[in-house]
Amino acid sequence: MSTGRLSLYDRVAEETASVVIRRYSTSFGLAARLLGPGVRQHVENIYALVRVADEIVDGAAEDAGLDVVGAGRVLNELEAETERAMEHGFSSNLVVHAFAITAREVSFGTELTAPFFESMRADLSAKVHDQASFERYVYGSAEVVGLMCLQAFLLGENVTDHARLETGARALGAAFQKVNFLRDLSADFETLGRSYFPDVAVDSFDEATKSRLLDDIDADLAVSAAVVPDLPRSSRRAVALAQSLFAELSVRLRATPASELIHTRIRVPNPVKARLALAAAMGATPSPGVRTSPEGAQS
């Protein structure tokens, strides 16, 4: 346990991580507020590092004047610093330090961080993906983050079917990532020059393609929904809300014509977010295969 000066440094590092989630993600921040206090800080610590890495590859570094080589160097330095901090328990980078607190306490290491940084590096070079590289990218960029959070959820818990919960965490992470790819289809292609989905291009995007992608997303959501009731009480409501928000996005994406989707980023309106948050706070858990219409009625 940290004492003295290190204890203060730990608190400042974790407060820094908490600021990141509040400033960058309203939906993720909303769900995080439903976590138990101990779990919440660990999830915020994880999110902060993930966000910093995202910013390196998604434009902030470029806006600062770094080219691809320079951004890659910064990303490599961040990974190296993260590995040192996980090993030694200290970093002069407050976000990295907070992440290392969590990694060391909930017991994960480079088996999860290495695939994550590999996917982040792919964003600096890979502009299109085949099925194999797409699956590797989704695993490293999203599924391992779900596994990191699951480790925090299960800290101190007596779990009998860890593998099933891991499958659910990976499926939910994959669904999150694929939904965001679909929401950002045009921006990724036109601004960043990326096409994540194999054999999918903006200029040929049609209803059949959209339905195929959403069927895959809904299959992931069904897998993850099935395990939400088995999560510990300290994390169940938050994960139920995250699941519901992305299920709602899936429905809204399906209701949006393909021709409109490539020009519009679909969002969940704040009143609907509030309704879903209230339901999750009251203990409602998602049912696999049950969808919500944009107006809020089941369909």
Side-chain angles (χ1 to χ4, degrees):
M1 180 177 292
S2 300
T3 58
R5 292 182 180 178
L6 182 57
S7 179
L8 174 60
Y9 191 80
D10 287 350
R11 292 197 302 273
V12 173
E14 293 191 319
E15 288 168 6
T16 302
S18 298
V19 169
V20 175
I21 192 171
R22 289 198 297 270
R23 296 298 298 271
Y24 272 99
S25 177
T26 55
S27 295
F28 202 86
L30 179 64
R33 286 197 287 272
L34 294 180
L35 291 166
V39 178
R40 182 188 309 132
Q41 188 62 65
H42 284 310
V43 170
E44 291 177 352
N45 292 351
I46 292 166
Y47 178 90
L49 182 73
V50 169
R51 172 49 58 184
V52 169
D54 274 339
E55 289 302 305
I56 293 172
V57 301
D58 280 352
E62 182 181 0
D63 289 349
L66 294 177
D67 59 12
V68 171
V69 173
R73 185 180 302 114
V74 170
L75 186 65
N76 290 341
E77 290 169 354
L78 180 64
E79 180 177 19
E81 181 64 18
T82 299
E83 291 184 0
R84 284 193 296 269
M86 289 191 298
E87 181 179 358
H88 300 295
F90 184 83
S91 173
S92 58
N93 180 320
L94 289 171
V95 167
V96 172
H97 186 85
F99 180 86
I101 291 172
T102 290
R104 289 163 65 88
E105 186 168 338
V106 308
S107 300
F108 66 77
T110 56
E111 77 282 356
L112 297 182
T113 59
F116 170 73
F117 280 103
E118 179 185 356
S119 287
M120 293 301 97
R121 267 189 293 276
D123 274 337
L124 294 173
S125 58
K127 299 303 182 183
V128 295
H129 288 275
D130 58 23
Q131 190 61 38
S133 68
F134 175 76
E135 291 174 4
R136 286 196 305 273
Y137 182 88
V138 171
Y139 175 73
S141 65
E143 294 180 32
V144 299
V145 178
L147 293 174
M148 291 176 193
C149 291
L150 180 64
Q151 285 294 100
F153 298 162
L154 300 183
L155 182 64
E157 300 286 340
N158 184 19
V159 176
T160 57
D161 197 352
H162 197 279
R164 181 168 178 268
L165 294 178
E166 285 187 344
T167 298
R170 289 184 59 179
L172 189 54
F176 287 2
Q177 189 66 290
K178 293 171 189 176
V179 164
N180 284 328
F181 288 162
L182 196 49
R183 295 170 77 198
D184 296 332
L185 190 66
S186 180
D188 284 339
F189 185 79
E190 295 177 2
T191 304
L192 300 174
R194 300 175 190 158
S195 179
Y196 287 103
F197 292 115
D199 301 318
V200 174
V202 171
D203 56 4
S204 60
F205 189 70
D206 57 17
E207 288 297 323
T209 302
K210 184 191 74 172
S211 294
R212 173 173 61 82
L213 297 177
L214 284 166
D215 287 348
D216 179 55
I217 288 167
D218 287 345
D220 285 333
L221 288 170
V223 170
S224 59
V227 304
V228 171
D230 299 327
L231 289 170
R233 182 180 179 87
S234 58
S235 59
R236 190 184 312 135
R237 294 180 303 164
V239 177
L241 175 55
Q243 169 91 25
S244 297
L245 286 168
F246 277 82
E248 180 73 13
L249 278 168
S250 175
V251 171
R252 290 172 180 272
L253 288 164
R254 199 177 286 275
T256 304
S259 58
E260 181 181 343
L261 190 58
I262 62 175
H263 301 296
T264 306
R265 193 173 198 270
I266 303 303
R267 301 178 182 274
V268 177
N270 287 336
V272 177
K273 286 183 181 180
R275 172 176 59 78
L276 295 174
L278 178 61
M282 296 292 289
T285 55
S287 299
V290 176
R291 296 175 181 171
T292 302
S293 74
E295 293 71 34
Q298 288 184 354
S299 60

